[in-house]
Amino acid sequence: MRFLSYELGEKEGYGILNEKNFMVIPMETLLRELNKDVPKNLLDFIRTYSDSLIGDLKEVLENIKDKGIPLKDVKITAPIKYPRRNVFCLGKNYADHAAEVKSIPSGDATIPEHPIYFTKIADPAIGHMDKIIIPKGYTEKIDYEVELAVIIGKDGKDIAYERAEDYIFGYSIGNDISARDIQTRHIQWFKGKSLDTTTSLGPFIVHKSALPFPVELNIGCRLNGEVRQDSNTRNLIFDIPTIISDLSKGLTLRAGDIILTGTPAGVGMGFDPPRFLKSGDIVECYIEKIGTLTNIIE
Ligand code: MG
């Protein structure tokens, strides 16, 4: 099941994609069929759903396929436009990317012994086909990073490695857009990763039941049609269960939290000379079985 958030005229909604018919079935329609309350957005749905509800939704979907809205008629937004707190991120979590990073703080190309965590503000996160706006005169070095996004499905602390999947709702695509000059200037990554319009998510959240675990998917990024990043999530240095069990030690993960699991080699900063984003560029982040997240540089 692919969950998505959208705008239809003035109205915001969320629902599930009927992939055969390219229709969005509004969650309002699905939950009313089940006599359930309708949470106000996808984040609230993720915070309150139960595993049995997912099964019920699958059944209802089979029966009401004609009550949807054509996908082409809606504007897809970030599935979670206003995360309940900062987005958790992993730095240097693919060996080939760790090796290409030399010019940012602690960019000494070594493979980290422990996961490197940082967070970024997404207020709001942008979605598929939205514009990335570069604050001209402030940064000259905006870069892309395709990442597998893990969406947490229930609260948990001190989660065992073996039970990590129980705490996942699903998966999406993230573009961890980064201002390299600002990252370098301020030593810490937070500011250079948190500029407005620099967290892109979507287009869908694929429920975990649609993907085998461990998650091993081709992941890549194209810039104006040219392949820049090309890897597989099996190449993560710290895999998803390691991230969830380690991050949740002494720190409660909450349903709806978003974890960006790191980016493979091929970012603009890794070229000599570097190749940063410029006005008019089209950046496409894709992950097998999830989709393609496209953004345009204004
Ligand atoms: Mg990143």
Side-chain angles (χ1 to χ4, degrees):
M1 278 195 292
R2 285 163 198 267
F3 292 82
L4 72 158
S5 301
Y6 58 85
E7 291 166 1
L8 183 64
E10 299 290 288
K11 202 170 171 276
E12 291 193 2
Y14 66 106
I16 300 177
L17 186 66
N18 176 329
E19 297 181 51
K20 276 192 203 127
N21 305 341
F22 283 94
M23 303 278 270
V24 180
I25 316 294
M27 196 63 87
E28 212 177 336
T29 308
L30 293 164
L31 292 174
R32 291 260 151 81
E33 289 281 325
L34 292 165
N35 291 316
K36 301 272 188 197
D37 292 338
V38 185
K40 72 175 192 297
N41 55 36
L42 184 50
L43 174 59
D44 280 6
F45 174 82
I46 292 169
R47 291 175 73 181
T48 54
Y49 85 104
S50 63
D51 288 335
S52 64
L53 179 58
I54 298 292
D56 293 344
L57 284 169
K58 280 182 185 164
E59 278 182 33
V60 178
L61 264 177
E62 290 295 312
N63 301 323
I64 59 164
K65 35 174 96 67
D66 57 337
K67 289 190 185 167
I69 306 162
L71 183 61
K72 65 175 175 45
D73 291 351
V74 303
K75 161 71 184 89
I76 296 176
T77 64
I80 297 175
K81 197 168 169 183
Y82 293 97
R84 62 186 303 282
R85 49 187 183 174
N86 281 10
V87 176
F88 293 96
C89 302
L90 275 282
K92 299 208 284 188
N93 201 23
Y94 288 80
D96 56 359
H97 175 64
E100 75 179 343
V101 172
K102 300 169 206 79
S103 58
I104 57 170
S106 77
D108 55 8
T110 50
I111 305 294
E113 237 182 281
H114 302 280
I116 297 172
Y117 301 117
F118 64 94
T119 72
K120 65 187 288 169
I121 292 175
D123 185 33
I126 63 168
H128 181 57
M129 299 307 288
D130 283 342
K131 286 179 176 163
I132 297 163
I133 298 162
I134 301 176
K136 297 201 175 73
Y138 183 54
T139 173
E140 311 295 324
K141 297 184 177 176
I142 290 280
D143 208 350
Y144 51 85
E145 294 188 351
V146 63
E147 314 208 3
L148 174 68
V150 175
I151 315 299
I152 296 296
K154 63 177 179 182
D155 294 5
K157 185 176 180 180
D158 300 323
I159 298 165
Y161 180 95
E162 297 75 20
R163 294 203 55 213
E165 194 190 7
D166 296 347
Y167 290 83
I168 295 171
F169 177 79
Y171 305 93
S172 191
I173 305 168
N175 190 346
D176 173 20
I177 301 146
S178 307
R180 302 301 187 197
D181 40 1
I182 297 169
Q183 274 183 269
T184 307
R185 189 186 312 156
H186 296 286
I187 312 299
Q188 221 273 353
W189 300 351
F190 171 73
K191 176 92 201 269
K193 296 273 193 177
S194 293
L195 302 181
D196 294 350
T197 74
T198 61
T199 303
S200 181
L201 287 172
F204 315 112
I205 295 174
V206 175
H207 187 258
K208 65 178 171 185
S209 59
L211 298 173
F213 199 79
V215 177
E216 297 186 345
L217 301 172
N218 292 327
I219 178 170
C221 178
R222 280 184 296 264
L223 188 73
N224 303 324
E226 177 195 342
V227 175
R228 289 288 187 88
Q229 296 183 277
D230 183 19
S231 187
N232 187 290
T233 56
R234 81 170 72 87
N235 298 323
L236 289 171
I237 296 170
F238 300 103
D239 65 8
I240 292 166
T242 301
I243 295 168
I244 289 176
S245 60
D246 186 72
L247 187 57
S248 71
K249 279 178 191 150
L251 188 167
T252 305
L253 291 178
R254 299 288 185 191
D257 277 344
I258 300 165
I259 304 172
L260 297 184
T261 53
T263 200
V267 299
M269 172 180 62
F271 287 87
D272 185 18
R275 300 164 75 179
F276 295 113
L277 294 171
K278 57 184 192 317
S279 185
D281 281 349
I282 296 170
V283 56
E284 295 169 284
C285 295
Y286 50 93
I287 301 180
E288 184 187 358
K289 295 181 181 161
I290 301 180
T292 300
L293 171 68
T294 303
N295 294 105
I296 303 102
I297 313 301
E298 188 167 83

